[in-house]
Amino acid sequence: MARKAPAELSEYEKKRQNNIAERDILLKQLALDAASVGLGPKAAPKRKSNVISSHKKKPAVRKVNEGTLPQRTSSRLAGLTADSEVAKRKAEDEYVAVQEAAKAKRQRVSGDLNLSDIVVAGKQWDKSENFLVDVASRGANPYERTFGESEVKATTDKELRALREKMSGLELYDGFEPNRIKITPERIYYLGFHPNADKPLVFAGDKLGNLGIFDASQPNRPGKTEKIKFEKQHQDQDEDEDEDDTLEPNITSFHLHTRTISSFQFSPLNPSYLYTSSYDSSLRLLDLTKSTSTEVYAPSSPDIDEALSGIEVDPTSPHLLYFSRLDGYVGRTDTRSPNSTEVWQLSEKKIGGFSLNPSQPQFLATASLDRFMKIWDLRKINGRDEWRLPALVGEHESRLSVSHAAFNAAGQVATASYDDTIKIHSFRGIGDWAVGKSLTDKQMEPSATIRHNNQTGRWVTILRAQWQQNPSDGIHRFCIGNMNRFVDIYTSKGEQLAQLSGDGITAVPAVAQFHPSNDWIAAGTASGKLCLWM
């Protein structure tokens, strides 16, 4: 095979080789001159064969950090001719690319950055579910709407739009301004309607154990409370003209408990019976007909402090009362036999709220500080002593503590949590569940999740989702207070129906409740004031 002709050298290569040749000649001449005057290096003496060479440890070669210098590659393996223009050009291009990349890393980035796009390490970033939401500013924005007339008009579903128009059409009670209806002396902790459908009668329990009652059917006239006292028998004409400014609603209040009234419920068979629970560790029965309040449950000793956080009346057996405690226990007592009380520890931490299924009261839902919502089957209670517990059907864990769990008649549970969510869990066919049925984590997942600011802080009562017990149109819905001084209404599918407001609402209507059957909504504030929509 004929040998290839050598490639013609470039002008740069010719000049480089000439410089090398001139340098070699100069070095040889310097060496000869030094040797002639005796300055040249002496030859090292030969080592004797019998001398054992010493093994000295060589110093570690220090690696030079070349930083971002281009990595050397083999031209032969790359199929390139040595010292060719192609190899030089490729090396230069690589060097330029590395320098540009290093420069880009150091260059300032302008504009907005999305954290999900700049994650360096850790799990995938979620804007709504991450550890920073607890320290981010989630304060209330008073009177800033998140749902209004524009959302109602944009609804394409006819049935949903009609329902939204109906709920959004509820008007604030005009008998008295909300800031004048002080139904309780202190912060309202629980509130509800009397089941009477002909008369809007609102009950509210406060922090100091007072129970206030307000009749919204009363005419706008001077009340008979002790606050209204006319010091003058005869008023001049100017005072008569300003008489409307002194009108106050007629409100009755009773001091039933020595500490906070945490919850109350009317008997499903006798609407004159009102059962109340309190932080003073007792359950009481208020008989509206006899005007008497009777203690139906309390610890064996007055020195025992077992604060109660809730009460539920069994709809099928009204003599059975269920209650929850702040230490994680749930109990059941029979009003016919007080000594029959039994308690079960269903959580290691505070149980903030619980409820019975109205149509299937053998199932109970609890919400607690340990972040779990749990479903229990009261038909199967096993164990002995402190280990005696109802059967656990299933549990769902939230990121932060769960404030309340409320059952509706359709077998759905609504919870409000400090992770700023309202979750709706649907348990279809719950009436057909066998004794001891167990649900998987997937079956306990919520069917709908609603983003909602639940950061009440220290001075506002905890927000709770409360179902309408017997909606006249059969569409299940619930209401919950809004930190922007509204009351929100949602369907069981998580669709918002309305955001109620009105003039004169100067505080958060945190404690909201539906009338059992009528489309009336009442809400109470931390100052004991009442807001009412009808």
mmCIF file of all heavy atoms in Angstrom, residues 263-304:
data_model
loop_
_atom_site.group_PDB
_atom_site.id
_atom_site.type_symbol
_atom_site.label_atom_id
_atom_site.label_comp_id
_atom_site.label_asym_id
_atom_site.label_seq_id
_atom_site.Cartn_x
_atom_site.Cartn_y
_atom_site.Cartn_z
ATOM 1 N N SER A 263 -70.059 22.410 73.955
ATOM 2 C CA SER A 263 -71.002 21.919 72.960
ATOM 3 C C SER A 263 -72.369 21.719 73.607
ATOM 4 O O SER A 263 -72.487 21.661 74.843
ATOM 5 C CB SER A 263 -70.498 20.591 72.355
ATOM 6 O OG SER A 263 -71.405 20.090 71.408
ATOM 7 N N PHE A 264 -73.397 21.622 72.772
ATOM 8 C CA PHE A 264 -74.722 21.250 73.274
ATOM 9 C C PHE A 264 -75.526 20.655 72.127
ATOM 10 O O PHE A 264 -75.188 20.832 70.940
ATOM 11 C CB PHE A 264 -75.450 22.442 73.911
ATOM 12 C CG PHE A 264 -75.649 23.626 73.016
ATOM 13 C CD1 PHE A 264 -76.605 23.624 72.003
ATOM 14 C CD2 PHE A 264 -74.895 24.783 73.194
ATOM 15 C CE1 PHE A 264 -76.800 24.725 71.187
ATOM 16 C CE2 PHE A 264 -75.077 25.896 72.385
ATOM 17 C CZ PHE A 264 -76.043 25.861 71.377
ATOM 18 N N GLN A 265 -76.577 19.935 72.482
ATOM 19 C CA GLN A 265 -77.423 19.296 71.472
ATOM 20 C C GLN A 265 -78.817 19.081 72.037
ATOM 21 O O GLN A 265 -78.980 18.702 73.203
ATOM 22 C CB GLN A 265 -76.825 17.956 71.017
ATOM 23 C CG GLN A 265 -77.539 17.344 69.830
ATOM 24 C CD GLN A 265 -76.807 16.127 69.286
ATOM 25 O OE1 GLN A 265 -75.828 15.675 69.866
ATOM 26 N NE2 GLN A 265 -77.277 15.587 68.181
ATOM 27 N N PHE A 266 -79.812 19.314 71.185
ATOM 28 C CA PHE A 266 -81.196 19.073 71.588
ATOM 29 C C PHE A 266 -81.535 17.591 71.428
ATOM 30 O O PHE A 266 -81.011 16.909 70.544
ATOM 31 C CB PHE A 266 -82.159 19.914 70.735
ATOM 32 C CG PHE A 266 -82.160 21.373 71.087
ATOM 33 C CD1 PHE A 266 -81.325 22.265 70.430
ATOM 34 C CD2 PHE A 266 -82.990 21.851 72.086
ATOM 35 C CE1 PHE A 266 -81.327 23.610 70.752
ATOM 36 C CE2 PHE A 266 -83.002 23.194 72.414
ATOM 37 C CZ PHE A 266 -82.169 24.082 71.757
ATOM 38 N N SER A 267 -82.419 17.124 72.306
ATOM 39 C CA SER A 267 -82.866 15.737 72.221
ATOM 40 C C SER A 267 -83.671 15.538 70.941
ATOM 41 O O SER A 267 -84.538 16.361 70.619
ATOM 42 C CB SER A 267 -83.716 15.384 73.440
ATOM 43 O OG SER A 267 -84.337 14.123 73.262
ATOM 44 N N PRO A 268 -83.416 14.476 70.166
ATOM 45 C CA PRO A 268 -84.174 14.256 68.928
ATOM 46 C C PRO A 268 -85.640 13.925 69.166
ATOM 47 O O PRO A 268 -86.453 14.079 68.248
ATOM 48 C CB PRO A 268 -83.436 13.078 68.272
ATOM 49 C CG PRO A 268 -82.725 12.393 69.389
ATOM 50 C CD PRO A 268 -82.385 13.453 70.375
ATOM 51 N N LEU A 269 -86.004 13.502 70.378
ATOM 52 C CA LEU A 269 -87.392 13.158 70.672
ATOM 53 C C LEU A 269 -88.126 14.259 71.419
ATOM 54 O O LEU A 269 -89.341 14.422 71.264
ATOM 55 C CB LEU A 269 -87.455 11.856 71.482
ATOM 56 C CG LEU A 269 -86.986 10.583 70.759
ATOM 57 C CD1 LEU A 269 -87.205 9.372 71.646
ATOM 58 C CD2 LEU A 269 -87.719 10.408 69.431
ATOM 59 N N ASN A 270 -87.401 15.014 72.224
ATOM 60 C CA ASN A 270 -88.027 16.072 73.008
ATOM 61 C C ASN A 270 -87.248 17.368 72.805
ATOM 62 O O ASN A 270 -86.197 17.574 73.405
ATOM 63 C CB ASN A 270 -88.058 15.692 74.489
ATOM 64 C CG ASN A 270 -88.890 16.651 75.317
ATOM 65 O OD1 ASN A 270 -89.254 17.742 74.871
ATOM 66 N ND2 ASN A 270 -89.203 16.260 76.546
ATOM 67 N N PRO A 271 -87.721 18.282 71.945
ATOM 68 C CA PRO A 271 -86.978 19.523 71.678
ATOM 69 C C PRO A 271 -86.898 20.470 72.863
ATOM 70 O O PRO A 271 -86.204 21.485 72.787
ATOM 71 C CB PRO A 271 -87.771 20.150 70.525
ATOM 72 C CG PRO A 271 -89.135 19.573 70.632
ATOM 73 C CD PRO A 271 -88.965 18.190 71.161
ATOM 74 N N SER A 272 -87.581 20.141 73.964
ATOM 75 C CA SER A 272 -87.472 20.959 75.173
ATOM 76 C C SER A 272 -86.264 20.576 76.008
ATOM 77 O O SER A 272 -85.942 21.267 76.972
ATOM 78 C CB SER A 272 -88.748 20.826 76.021
ATOM 79 O OG SER A 272 -89.861 21.334 75.321
ATOM 80 N N TYR A 273 -85.594 19.481 75.639
ATOM 81 C CA TYR A 273 -84.411 19.020 76.361
ATOM 82 C C TYR A 273 -83.157 19.467 75.620
ATOM 83 O O TYR A 273 -82.960 19.152 74.440
ATOM 84 C CB TYR A 273 -84.402 17.498 76.472
ATOM 85 C CG TYR A 273 -85.375 16.932 77.487
ATOM 86 C CD1 TYR A 273 -85.484 15.555 77.681
ATOM 87 C CD2 TYR A 273 -86.190 17.756 78.257
ATOM 88 C CE1 TYR A 273 -86.363 15.027 78.608
ATOM 89 C CE2 TYR A 273 -87.076 17.237 79.185
ATOM 90 C CZ TYR A 273 -87.164 15.879 79.349
ATOM 91 O OH TYR A 273 -88.042 15.351 80.263
ATOM 92 N N LEU A 274 -82.321 20.189 76.337
ATOM 93 C CA LEU A 274 -81.043 20.629 75.786
ATOM 94 C C LEU A 274 -79.916 20.088 76.661
ATOM 95 O O LEU A 274 -79.822 20.427 77.846
ATOM 96 C CB LEU A 274 -80.963 22.158 75.732
ATOM 97 C CG LEU A 274 -79.631 22.739 75.221
ATOM 98 C CD1 LEU A 274 -79.407 22.370 73.767
ATOM 99 C CD2 LEU A 274 -79.599 24.257 75.401
ATOM 100 N N TYR A 275 -79.069 19.232 76.066
ATOM 101 C CA TYR A 275 -77.927 18.661 76.783
ATOM 102 C C TYR A 275 -76.685 19.499 76.492
ATOM 103 O O TYR A 275 -76.388 19.812 75.332
ATOM 104 C CB TYR A 275 -77.692 17.217 76.369
ATOM 105 C CG TYR A 275 -78.781 16.261 76.789
ATOM 106 C CD1 TYR A 275 -79.797 15.903 75.904
ATOM 107 C CD2 TYR A 275 -78.798 15.715 78.066
ATOM 108 C CE1 TYR A 275 -80.802 15.017 76.289
ATOM 109 C CE2 TYR A 275 -79.798 14.837 78.460
ATOM 110 C CZ TYR A 275 -80.803 14.493 77.565
ATOM 111 O OH TYR A 275 -81.791 13.629 77.963
ATOM 112 N N THR A 276 -75.947 19.859 77.533
ATOM 113 C CA THR A 276 -74.749 20.690 77.390
ATOM 114 C C THR A 276 -73.534 19.985 77.979
ATOM 115 O O THR A 276 -73.642 19.246 78.967
ATOM 116 C CB THR A 276 -74.928 22.048 78.091
ATOM 117 O OG1 THR A 276 -75.172 21.825 79.489
ATOM 118 C CG2 THR A 276 -76.099 22.820 77.488
ATOM 119 N N SER A 277 -72.376 20.217 77.372
ATOM 120 C CA SER A 277 -71.100 19.714 77.901
ATOM 121 C C SER A 277 -70.199 20.896 78.212
ATOM 122 O O SER A 277 -70.319 21.962 77.595
ATOM 123 C CB SER A 277 -70.412 18.795 76.877
ATOM 124 O OG SER A 277 -70.074 19.511 75.713
ATOM 125 N N SER A 278 -69.282 20.697 79.159
ATOM 126 C CA SER A 278 -68.468 21.823 79.608
ATOM 127 C C SER A 278 -67.078 21.376 80.023
ATOM 128 O O SER A 278 -66.830 20.200 80.332
ATOM 129 C CB SER A 278 -69.159 22.522 80.786
ATOM 130 O OG SER A 278 -68.319 23.513 81.363
ATOM 131 N N TYR A 279 -66.172 22.362 80.040
ATOM 132 C CA TYR A 279 -64.831 22.114 80.556
ATOM 133 C C TYR A 279 -64.834 21.884 82.068
ATOM 134 O O TYR A 279 -63.788 21.516 82.627
ATOM 135 C CB TYR A 279 -63.916 23.300 80.236
ATOM 136 C CG TYR A 279 -63.492 23.387 78.783
ATOM 137 C CD1 TYR A 279 -63.931 22.456 77.836
ATOM 138 C CD2 TYR A 279 -62.643 24.404 78.356
ATOM 139 C CE1 TYR A 279 -63.547 22.544 76.514
ATOM 140 C CE2 TYR A 279 -62.252 24.499 77.029
ATOM 141 C CZ TYR A 279 -62.702 23.568 76.116
ATOM 142 O OH TYR A 279 -62.312 23.670 74.798
ATOM 143 N N ASP A 280 -65.977 22.094 82.735
ATOM 144 C CA ASP A 280 -66.025 21.815 84.177
ATOM 145 C C ASP A 280 -66.278 20.335 84.448
ATOM 146 O O ASP A 280 -66.586 19.951 85.578
ATOM 147 C CB ASP A 280 -67.079 22.685 84.863
ATOM 148 C CG ASP A 280 -68.503 22.366 84.395
ATOM 149 O OD1 ASP A 280 -68.713 21.387 83.664
ATOM 150 O OD2 ASP A 280 -69.432 23.121 84.782
ATOM 151 N N SER A 281 -66.170 19.495 83.391
ATOM 152 C CA SER A 281 -66.240 18.033 83.478
ATOM 153 C C SER A 281 -67.655 17.483 83.630
ATOM 154 O O SER A 281 -67.823 16.321 83.976
ATOM 155 C CB SER A 281 -65.372 17.500 84.641
ATOM 156 O OG SER A 281 -64.065 18.007 84.564
ATOM 157 N N SER A 282 -68.670 18.272 83.379
ATOM 158 C CA SER A 282 -70.037 17.799 83.601
ATOM 159 C C SER A 282 -70.893 17.906 82.350
ATOM 160 O O SER A 282 -70.622 18.689 81.437
ATOM 161 C CB SER A 282 -70.698 18.608 84.724
ATOM 162 O OG SER A 282 -70.946 19.944 84.305
ATOM 163 N N LEU A 283 -71.947 17.077 82.339
ATOM 164 C CA LEU A 283 -73.029 17.154 81.361
ATOM 165 C C LEU A 283 -74.295 17.565 82.104
ATOM 166 O O LEU A 283 -74.583 17.028 83.188
ATOM 167 C CB LEU A 283 -73.259 15.797 80.674
ATOM 168 C CG LEU A 283 -72.111 15.180 79.886
ATOM 169 C CD1 LEU A 283 -72.526 13.800 79.358
ATOM 170 C CD2 LEU A 283 -71.688 16.071 78.738
ATOM 171 N N ARG A 284 -75.033 18.492 81.516
ATOM 172 C CA ARG A 284 -76.258 18.952 82.162
ATOM 173 C C ARG A 284 -77.422 18.901 81.186
ATOM 174 O O ARG A 284 -77.246 19.006 79.966
ATOM 175 C CB ARG A 284 -76.102 20.379 82.713
ATOM 176 C CG ARG A 284 -74.991 20.549 83.722
ATOM 177 C CD ARG A 284 -75.066 21.912 84.399
ATOM 178 N NE ARG A 284 -76.203 21.997 85.300
ATOM 179 C CZ ARG A 284 -76.183 21.653 86.584
ATOM 180 N NH1 ARG A 284 -75.058 21.212 87.127
ATOM 181 N NH2 ARG A 284 -77.269 21.766 87.331
ATOM 182 N N LEU A 285 -78.619 18.737 81.760
ATOM 183 C CA LEU A 285 -79.852 18.738 80.984
ATOM 184 C C LEU A 285 -80.656 19.976 81.355
ATOM 185 O O LEU A 285 -81.058 20.150 82.509
ATOM 186 C CB LEU A 285 -80.673 17.476 81.266
ATOM 187 C CG LEU A 285 -82.118 17.480 80.746
ATOM 188 C CD1 LEU A 285 -82.155 17.633 79.234
ATOM 189 C CD2 LEU A 285 -82.856 16.217 81.186
ATOM 190 N N LEU A 286 -80.881 20.841 80.353
ATOM 191 C CA LEU A 286 -81.711 22.026 80.550
ATOM 192 C C LEU A 286 -83.114 21.718 80.029
ATOM 193 O O LEU A 286 -83.307 21.488 78.834
ATOM 194 C CB LEU A 286 -81.121 23.224 79.809
ATOM 195 C CG LEU A 286 -81.963 24.502 79.815
ATOM 196 C CD1 LEU A 286 -82.148 25.026 81.231
ATOM 197 C CD2 LEU A 286 -81.317 25.568 78.922
ATOM 198 N N ASP A 287 -84.071 21.702 80.936
ATOM 199 C CA ASP A 287 -85.466 21.458 80.579
ATOM 200 C C ASP A 287 -86.140 22.814 80.376
ATOM 201 O O ASP A 287 -86.389 23.551 81.334
ATOM 202 C CB ASP A 287 -86.163 20.652 81.675
ATOM 203 C CG ASP A 287 -87.542 20.171 81.260
ATOM 204 O OD1 ASP A 287 -88.174 20.841 80.421
ATOM 205 O OD2 ASP A 287 -87.981 19.118 81.763
ATOM 206 N N LEU A 288 -86.414 23.153 79.119
ATOM 207 C CA LEU A 288 -86.991 24.464 78.820
ATOM 208 C C LEU A 288 -88.423 24.587 79.333
ATOM 209 O O LEU A 288 -88.887 25.694 79.599
ATOM 210 C CB LEU A 288 -86.951 24.717 77.310
ATOM 211 C CG LEU A 288 -85.557 24.707 76.671
ATOM 212 C CD1 LEU A 288 -85.675 24.913 75.168
ATOM 213 C CD2 LEU A 288 -84.664 25.769 77.286
ATOM 214 N N THR A 289 -89.110 23.470 79.468
ATOM 215 C CA THR A 289 -90.488 23.499 79.941
ATOM 216 C C THR A 289 -90.543 23.749 81.442
ATOM 217 O O THR A 289 -91.309 24.589 81.934
ATOM 218 C CB THR A 289 -91.206 22.187 79.599
ATOM 219 O OG1 THR A 289 -91.138 21.974 78.190
ATOM 220 C CG2 THR A 289 -92.656 22.230 80.040
ATOM 221 N N LYS A 290 -89.699 23.032 82.172
ATOM 222 C CA LYS A 290 -89.689 23.155 83.625
ATOM 223 C C LYS A 290 -88.756 24.263 84.111
ATOM 224 O O LYS A 290 -88.754 24.579 85.311
ATOM 225 C CB LYS A 290 -89.261 21.832 84.257
ATOM 226 C CG LYS A 290 -90.210 20.682 83.972
ATOM 227 C CD LYS A 290 -89.709 19.408 84.643
ATOM 228 C CE LYS A 290 -90.637 18.232 84.375
ATOM 229 N NZ LYS A 290 -90.158 16.981 85.000
ATOM 230 N N SER A 291 -87.960 24.821 83.212
ATOM 231 C CA SER A 291 -86.988 25.857 83.583
ATOM 232 C C SER A 291 -86.027 25.368 84.664
ATOM 233 O O SER A 291 -85.750 26.062 85.649
ATOM 234 C CB SER A 291 -87.712 27.125 84.054
ATOM 235 O OG SER A 291 -88.511 27.646 83.021
ATOM 236 N N THR A 292 -85.508 24.172 84.466
ATOM 237 C CA THR A 292 -84.558 23.589 85.416
ATOM 238 C C THR A 292 -83.347 23.054 84.654
ATOM 239 O O THR A 292 -83.452 22.649 83.492
ATOM 240 C CB THR A 292 -85.186 22.441 86.221
ATOM 241 O OG1 THR A 292 -85.640 21.421 85.318
ATOM 242 C CG2 THR A 292 -86.327 22.938 87.074
ATOM 243 N N SER A 293 -82.201 23.046 85.310
ATOM 244 C CA SER A 293 -80.972 22.485 84.758
ATOM 245 C C SER A 293 -80.460 21.414 85.706
ATOM 246 O O SER A 293 -80.201 21.684 86.886
ATOM 247 C CB SER A 293 -79.909 23.574 84.580
ATOM 248 O OG SER A 293 -78.691 23.017 84.138
ATOM 249 N N THR A 294 -80.322 20.187 85.207
ATOM 250 C CA THR A 294 -79.962 19.036 86.039
ATOM 251 C C THR A 294 -78.653 18.432 85.556
ATOM 252 O O THR A 294 -78.445 18.267 84.348
ATOM 253 C CB THR A 294 -81.059 17.963 85.977
ATOM 254 O OG1 THR A 294 -82.310 18.552 86.318
ATOM 255 C CG2 THR A 294 -80.753 16.818 86.939
ATOM 256 N N GLU A 295 -77.791 18.101 86.496
ATOM 257 C CA GLU A 295 -76.544 17.425 86.145
ATOM 258 C C GLU A 295 -76.824 15.955 85.868
ATOM 259 O O GLU A 295 -77.400 15.261 86.697
ATOM 260 C CB GLU A 295 -75.530 17.562 87.285
ATOM 261 C CG GLU A 295 -74.157 16.987 86.970
ATOM 262 C CD GLU A 295 -73.166 17.189 88.098
ATOM 263 O OE1 GLU A 295 -73.136 16.330 89.011
ATOM 264 O OE2 GLU A 295 -72.455 18.213 88.085
ATOM 265 N N VAL A 296 -76.412 15.487 84.701
ATOM 266 C CA VAL A 296 -76.659 14.085 84.329
ATOM 267 C C VAL A 296 -75.379 13.259 84.313
ATOM 268 O O VAL A 296 -75.431 12.031 84.275
ATOM 269 C CB VAL A 296 -77.352 14.004 82.955
ATOM 270 C CG1 VAL A 296 -78.736 14.616 83.017
ATOM 271 C CG2 VAL A 296 -76.510 14.676 81.875
ATOM 272 N N TYR A 297 -74.218 13.934 84.316
ATOM 273 C CA TYR A 297 -72.953 13.198 84.388
ATOM 274 C C TYR A 297 -71.882 14.119 84.950
ATOM 275 O O TYR A 297 -71.819 15.309 84.623
ATOM 276 C CB TYR A 297 -72.500 12.687 83.025
ATOM 277 C CG TYR A 297 -71.059 12.223 83.029
ATOM 278 C CD1 TYR A 297 -70.717 10.980 83.544
ATOM 279 C CD2 TYR A 297 -70.037 13.057 82.558
ATOM 280 C CE1 TYR A 297 -69.392 10.568 83.580
ATOM 281 C CE2 TYR A 297 -68.714 12.649 82.592
ATOM 282 C CZ TYR A 297 -68.401 11.407 83.101
ATOM 283 O OH TYR A 297 -67.093 11.005 83.148
ATOM 284 N N ALA A 298 -71.014 13.545 85.787
ATOM 285 C CA ALA A 298 -69.846 14.240 86.320
ATOM 286 C C ALA A 298 -68.922 13.189 86.925
ATOM 287 O O ALA A 298 -69.362 12.081 87.276
ATOM 288 C CB ALA A 298 -70.237 15.277 87.365
ATOM 289 N N PRO A 299 -67.635 13.467 87.048
ATOM 290 C CA PRO A 299 -66.713 12.527 87.695
ATOM 291 C C PRO A 299 -67.148 12.248 89.134
ATOM 292 O O PRO A 299 -67.922 13.007 89.740
ATOM 293 C CB PRO A 299 -65.369 13.248 87.641
ATOM 294 C CG PRO A 299 -65.500 14.216 86.522
ATOM 295 C CD PRO A 299 -66.931 14.638 86.519
ATOM 296 N N SER A 300 -66.641 11.171 89.690
ATOM 297 C CA SER A 300 -67.036 10.743 91.037
ATOM 298 C C SER A 300 -66.648 11.740 92.109
ATOM 299 O O SER A 300 -67.284 11.831 93.152
ATOM 300 C CB SER A 300 -66.409 9.378 91.344
ATOM 301 O OG SER A 300 -64.989 9.443 91.223
ATOM 302 N N SER A 301 -65.612 12.533 91.846
ATOM 303 C CA SER A 301 -65.155 13.513 92.836
ATOM 304 C C SER A 301 -65.063 14.895 92.189
ATOM 305 O O SER A 301 -64.632 15.012 91.029
ATOM 306 C CB SER A 301 -63.787 13.116 93.396
ATOM 307 O OG SER A 301 -63.243 14.157 94.193
ATOM 308 N N PRO A 302 -65.446 15.935 92.913
ATOM 309 C CA PRO A 302 -65.325 17.295 92.342
ATOM 310 C C PRO A 302 -63.878 17.724 92.116
ATOM 311 O O PRO A 302 -63.626 18.704 91.418
ATOM 312 C CB PRO A 302 -66.006 18.177 93.395
ATOM 313 C CG PRO A 302 -65.984 17.382 94.653
ATOM 314 C CD PRO A 302 -66.064 15.949 94.249
ATOM 315 N N ASP A 303 -62.933 16.987 92.706
ATOM 316 C CA ASP A 303 -61.523 17.320 92.529
ATOM 317 C C ASP A 303 -60.958 16.772 91.219
ATOM 318 O O ASP A 303 -59.845 17.129 90.826
ATOM 319 C CB ASP A 303 -60.702 16.768 93.701
ATOM 320 C CG ASP A 303 -61.099 17.413 95.021
ATOM 321 O OD1 ASP A 303 -61.515 18.591 94.990
ATOM 322 O OD2 ASP A 303 -61.010 16.736 96.060
ATOM 323 N N ILE A 304 -61.708 15.894 90.577
ATOM 324 C CA ILE A 304 -61.251 15.311 89.311
ATOM 325 C C ILE A 304 -61.565 16.267 88.169
ATOM 326 O O ILE A 304 -62.703 16.688 87.997
ATOM 327 C CB ILE A 304 -61.920 13.945 89.062
ATOM 328 C CG1 ILE A 304 -61.555 12.960 90.178
ATOM 329 C CG2 ILE A 304 -61.508 13.382 87.702
ATOM 330 C CD1 ILE A 304 -62.239 11.615 90.054
#
